[in-house]
Amino acid sequence: MRLVAYNFRSGGKRGEQNQWRKILNDFNPDIVFAQETRDPRPEVPESYGVDQNRFIWRPVNNKWGSALFIKGGEIKPLDLPGFEGWVVGAEISEPNWLKTWQRPLRVFSVHGPTKKGSSYIKEMGLILDKIAQLPDNADLIIGGDFNIAASFRHSSEEMKLGKANEAILVRLSNEFGLRSCWQTANPDQPLAQTLRWGSNKTTPYHCDGIFAPITWDQLLESCQIISEGWEVLSDHNPVVATFEMIEMENI
């Protein structure tokens, strides 16, 4: 099972460099957590061989919003009131890649809101409050651009996490049983760059990530941040997590 989180940057580029097609071609994903994307359905027409019903998209403004692509299974869209467009959710039952899985998957594509008079930390806390109100009858995966550090920083790094940011990561672990796939696959490593932003493009901002159940840690084959070929398409790099399907079916 392959998961991809990616911010298209202000709707993404049109024409020959179609980012949705590149994501589908390069990664063959089972789930895509997308932010700042236009409606994917016109971007990936039916002639491309992708079922349009596999996409869920909600707008933030008249240019872009957040989306999910879900390759298989029965899909039930979920919205978080007050965060339409910033968060897109779905419950997936009987996914094709996990036919023996007993519990549905509940997945959310999250874009940390930029709301006047608030902060990214506060908004992420409010989003988690909403998710916490849902029944505990599904396995949870959250992916996207959180606009805060999406993993704990190594002690050797010059950039520091901050107590409020750390509290969000601790909450994801203690309350929701989730951990950053990148950190699980790359323990004790300085955080890799997911965002090239600001006057210094080398600053290692790590605001994009995928959080999966801690109980899946041993099934995670890899989690990579891909930069080559994406530099001219967005200021974000895709985060790609791959899980071992055969073992997962028997967990």
Side-chain angles (χ1 to χ4, degrees):
M1 179 174 71
R2 184 166 293 122
L3 314 177
V4 178
Y6 180 60
N7 182 313
F8 284 63
R9 186 181 186 183
S10 302
K13 292 189 175 183
R14 297 181 183 271
E16 294 180 1
Q17 296 178 343
N18 184 299
Q19 295 182 70
W20 271 106
R21 295 189 191 184
K22 183 171 175 59
I23 286 173
L24 298 175
N25 282 334
D26 285 12
F27 305 126
N28 188 25
D30 292 290
I31 304 175
V32 178
F33 305 84
Q35 301 80 47
E36 291 193 33
T37 176
R38 293 186 297 271
D39 186 348
R41 290 165 292 188
E43 299 292 306
V44 187
E46 292 182 8
S47 60
Y48 189 67
V50 177
D51 185 346
Q52 301 295 295
N53 294 322
R54 299 281 110 192
F55 295 97
I56 306 171
W57 178 76
R58 300 287 186 267
V60 168
N61 52 45
N62 60 2
K63 293 183 179 180
W64 50 261
S66 297
L68 284 165
F69 168 76
I70 300 167
K71 188 174 183 179
E74 298 294 324
I75 303 172
K76 176 185 176 183
L78 289 174
D79 292 316
L80 294 188
F83 292 96
E84 294 84 354
W86 295 105
V87 180
V88 176
E91 284 192 8
I92 314 169
S93 58
E94 299 183 2
N96 294 338
W97 64 91
L98 290 175
K99 292 182 179 179
T100 62
W101 201 245
Q102 299 300 313
R103 284 160 58 93
L105 291 178
R106 187 174 292 140
V107 297
F108 289 97
S109 174
V110 173
H111 187 188
T114 54
K115 294 186 176 180
K116 187 175 181 179
S118 188
S119 69
Y120 294 132
I121 295 287
K122 179 180 178 180
E123 294 301 316
M124 281 304 307
L126 293 173
I127 288 170
L128 295 183
D129 289 345
K130 294 281 187 181
I131 295 175
Q133 294 172 11
L134 298 172
D136 184 20
N137 60 353
D139 289 300
L140 177 65
I141 304 175
I142 302 174
D145 172 9
F146 302 96
N147 274 320
I148 62 174
S151 299
F152 291 98
R153 290 201 174 274
H154 192 264
S155 58
S156 65
E157 295 185 64
E158 292 185 9
M159 295 184 71
K160 301 304 177 184
L161 195 62
K163 291 183 179 180
N165 195 151
E166 181 176 340
I168 293 291
L169 298 178
V170 170
R171 185 179 179 190
L172 283 163
S173 175
N174 293 350
E175 184 176 345
F176 297 92
L178 303 179
R179 183 152 44 212
S180 158
C181 290
W182 190 89
Q183 199 132 60
T184 299
N186 305 276
D188 300 320
Q189 296 295 318
L191 298 190
Q193 184 185 51
T194 71
L195 169 64
R196 301 176 301 279
W197 181 80
S199 57
N200 185 353
K201 303 295 184 183
T202 65
T203 303
Y205 295 112
H206 185 97
C207 56
D208 305 85
I210 299 169
F211 289 83
I214 293 172
T215 54
W216 293 15
D217 280 3
Q218 71 274 24
L219 309 176
L220 182 63
E221 286 187 343
S222 65
C223 186
Q224 299 173 298
I225 295 168
I226 311 297
S227 59
E228 185 175 357
W230 295 89
E231 303 96 327
V232 298
L233 300 177
S234 172
D235 54 354
H236 289 257
N237 297 324
V239 180
V240 183
T242 303
F243 290 85
E244 174 56 56
M245 295 188 298
I246 295 175
E247 293 184 19
M248 189 178 284
E249 289 180 358
N250 298 317
I251 191 171

